């Protein structure tokens, strides 16, 4: 069981995979940034700056995947040992997350609620609870409050 990225990585190793329909899990979110409510209250400015850095990194991965990999290789060389495989993974991530990227990571709270309810139903968690207890879009406007087009142009140029 895995994501499209897992399929590409495993497929690249030569192992044959069989795709299985996701049924109830189709459309559920598989990632996000997290912190505690207390930390967010104490360090909201840090959370916003961190979110902005992540947003800018995503812009680079979408606008110039090769330059993004070059930057990654400078910081964490071991992460890009097999560049061809890593680039396929990056492009797969870009493809599977494109709608969220284009929506500037704004997500539908109802999708999170369905995920929580499903996890309670199948026993992954003990009980359901309101998605608003663990999810918010509230910081996104502040996170994306920078010149997005300028960062896109910078990424496309590959100059950093």
């Amino acid at each position: 069981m895995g994501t499209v990225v897992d399929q590409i990585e495993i497929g690249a190793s030569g192992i044959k995979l069989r795709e299985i329909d996701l049924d109830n899990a189709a459309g559920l979110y598989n990632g996000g940034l997290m912190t505690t409510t207390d930390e967010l209250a104490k360090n909201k400015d840090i959370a916003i700056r961190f979110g902005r850095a992540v947003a800018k990194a995503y812009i680079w991965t979408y606008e110039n995947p090769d330059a993004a990999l070059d930057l990654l290789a400078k910081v964490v060389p071991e992460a890009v040992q097999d560049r061809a495989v890593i680039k396929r993974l990056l492009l797969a991530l870009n493809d599977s997350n494109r709608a969220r990227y284009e929506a500037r990571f704004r997500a539908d709270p109802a999708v999170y609620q369905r995920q929580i309810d499903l996890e309670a139903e199948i026993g992954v968690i003990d009980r359901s609870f309101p998605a608003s207890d663990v999810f918010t879009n509230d910081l996104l406007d502040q996170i994306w409050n920078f010149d997005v087009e300028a960062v896109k142009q910078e990424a496309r140029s590959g100059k950093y």
Side-chain angles (χ1 to χ4, degrees):
M1 184 167 118
T3 66
V4 69
V5 175
D6 298 325
Q7 291 174 12
I8 289 172
E9 186 174 45
I10 293 167
S13 71
I15 297 171
K16 300 290 182 206
L17 298 175
R18 177 174 57 98
E19 288 191 40
I20 300 170
D21 185 17
L22 295 174
D23 292 332
N24 290 334
L28 298 182
Y29 297 124
N30 66 1
L33 301 177
M34 246 185 253
T35 189
T36 64
T37 304
D38 290 343
E39 278 301 314
L40 185 57
K42 288 190 295 189
N43 296 301
K44 184 177 176 181
D45 61 322
I46 292 172
I48 291 166
R49 290 193 327 257
F50 180 76
R52 190 171 296 141
V54 170
K56 290 177 179 181
Y58 267 93
I59 289 172
W60 276 77
T61 65
Y62 278 90
E63 300 300 326
N64 193 338
D66 288 310
L69 288 176
D70 291 343
L71 287 167
L72 178 60
K74 283 184 175 200
V75 178
V76 189
E78 62 274 15
V80 191
Q81 288 180 3
D82 188 337
R83 189 180 179 99
V85 169
I86 299 304
K87 184 170 181 183
R88 284 195 304 270
L89 292 172
L90 176 60
L91 294 176
L93 279 170
N94 283 356
D95 186 53
S96 65
N97 290 314
R98 182 161 300 280
R100 289 183 73 196
Y101 168 70
E102 290 173 355
R104 295 189 177 178
F105 303 113
R106 193 162 304 281
D108 181 355
V111 174
Y112 278 98
Q113 191 62 59
R114 280 197 312 273
Q115 186 165 344
I116 291 165
D117 293 345
L118 176 62
E119 289 176 4
E121 181 182 320
I122 63 176
V124 174
I125 57 177
D126 293 335
R127 62 178 173 72
S128 184
F129 55 87
S132 60
D133 287 356
V134 295
F135 164 80
T136 183
N137 284 314
D138 292 350
L139 300 180
L140 290 176
D141 289 338
Q142 292 171 287
I143 287 170
W144 286 89
N145 186 18
F146 62 92
D147 190 343
V148 173
E149 289 307 313
V151 175
K152 286 181 178 183
Q153 285 302 107
E154 180 184 39
R156 290 176 191 139
S157 77
K159 295 178 183 171
Y160 46 86

